[in-house]
Amino acid sequence: MDYENLIKKLPKAELHLHIEGSFEPELMFEIAQRNKVDIRFKNIEEVREAYNFHNLQSFLDIYYEGAKVLIKEEDFYDLTYAYLQKCHEDNVVHTEIFFDPQTHTQRGVSFETCFLGIKRALDDAQREMGISSEIIMCFLRHLSEKEAFQTLKESLPFKDNIIGVGLDSSEVGHPPSKFQNVFQKARELGFVTVAHAGEEGPPEYIWEALDLLEIKRIDHGVRSIEDEELLQRIIKEKMALTVCPLSNIKLRVFNKMEEHNLKTLLEKGVKVTINSDDPAYFGGYMNQNFLETAKALKLTSEQIVQLSINSFEASFISDALKEKWINQCKALI
Ligand code: HPA
Ligand code: ZN
């Protein structure tokens, strides 16, 4: 089977997706007009031109700018529903999405407004397209731990529908240890924990995320390859990495896809998964990430299927569902 066909047929779980990063310029303009919000771009072409990043921060500046047009519950609904349609096209059958409450509450949009819009779209997608999902809320690591505690408090009325907490935004200079207390509190409240670590930050940040935040998955984690002891621990503990290949190229974590370490990690026995991160900004959704990675690294069919099996194993779905999807993946080899 050729790459394209195999990838299309493969059921997939997405484990690293920022819903605000799925904001396509067309929808951004539509919502900006609807809400009468001024954005600094004149047209869609200007927006696309701005998507020329040289590191994480240069992307984040634009990403937070775009999110400013999201004001009403229906805006969050439309944003989320549009992403779920892409999932449907790409045979993503389960998705665990991140949202950044502070990006919105800091602008005066309530936690409830964003949460309810996102949740209603997820419920509709389950009913209409059979896509299962979970919500993970991320703390912005450039803000203080005190502000993260405030967000944790605001989430409590919706706790039953939020599976976990994560950590995102500017990594370097904001180590996981900064959030040790709030993550401990979140775990006591029953949230699972994940964290971005080792995207731009050093392997020490991955150690901290594992030891101090007790994370269940490492978001990105590609710099783990620089520390053999860390790598052996990740392999031994079957700790999954939610790798985002197109994101890594766009943000210059690797110069080009041919230089990405995904295949090396996979061959060393790391539980690697493929994800789209911020697909509207980085040039593609799940299948595009699979396809470009497979081509550039000359992945075998078995490796492609393994990536998908890994995504279900590392997901927070029930064992029965894991078995169902993994059997469907295996049937394709
Ligand atoms: N890294 C850190 N923060 C983010 C990212 C990312 O890739 N995407 C959205 N927020
Ligand atoms: Zn991310």
Side-chain angles (χ1 to χ4, degrees), residues 16-18 98 168 196 199 219-220 244 247 277-278 282:
H16 185 153
L17 176 282
H18 303 263
F98 296 132
D168 67 1
H196 283 53
E199 177 186 17
D219 296 317
H220 292 294
C244 308
S247 162
D277 206 5
D278 302 282
F282 299 151

Side-chain angles (χ1 to χ4, degrees), residues 258-271:
E258 287 74 12
E259 291 175 14
H260 200 291
N261 66 9
L262 179 140
K263 186 174 181 169
T264 309
L265 288 168
L266 198 59
E267 289 178 346
K268 281 175 180 278
V270 179
K271 198 191 284 272

Side-chain angles (χ1 to χ4, degrees), residues 206-269:
I206 304 177
W207 284 105
E208 281 192 8
L210 291 169
D211 290 333
L212 307 181
L213 308 187
E214 299 185 22
I215 56 169
K216 296 283 181 266
R217 294 196 296 249
I218 303 166
D219 296 317
H220 292 294
V222 289
R223 288 194 61 192
S224 58
I225 206 150
E226 297 168 26
D227 181 337
E228 189 57 29
E229 195 187 340
L230 174 63
L231 205 57
Q232 289 313 316
R233 173 177 176 181
I234 287 171
I235 294 166
K236 188 159 151 261
E237 292 182 4
K238 300 187 169 53
M239 181 62 59
L241 263 50
T242 64
V243 176
C244 308
L246 284 172
S247 162
N248 291 154
I249 304 311
K250 274 280 186 184
L251 301 187
R252 315 246 183 109
V253 174
F254 299 93
N255 289 323
K256 50 183 180 169
M257 198 61 96
E258 287 74 12
E259 291 175 14
H260 200 291
N261 66 9
L262 179 140
K263 186 174 181 169
T264 309
L265 288 168
L266 198 59
E267 289 178 346
K268 281 175 180 278

Side-chain angles (χ1 to χ4, degrees), residues 280-295:
Y281 294 89
F282 299 151
Y285 289 78
M286 278 287 263
N287 285 4
Q288 194 66 25
N289 272 276
F290 265 82
L291 192 59
E292 290 197 31
T293 310
K295 277 188 184 159

Side-chain angles (χ1 to χ4, degrees), residues 313-331:
E313 282 181 349
S315 73
F316 299 133
I317 55 177
S318 68
D319 287 345
L321 262 183
K322 278 186 192 181
E323 197 185 330
K324 170 186 144 176
W325 291 123
I326 290 171
N327 283 338
Q328 286 200 21
C329 292
K330 285 183 177 162

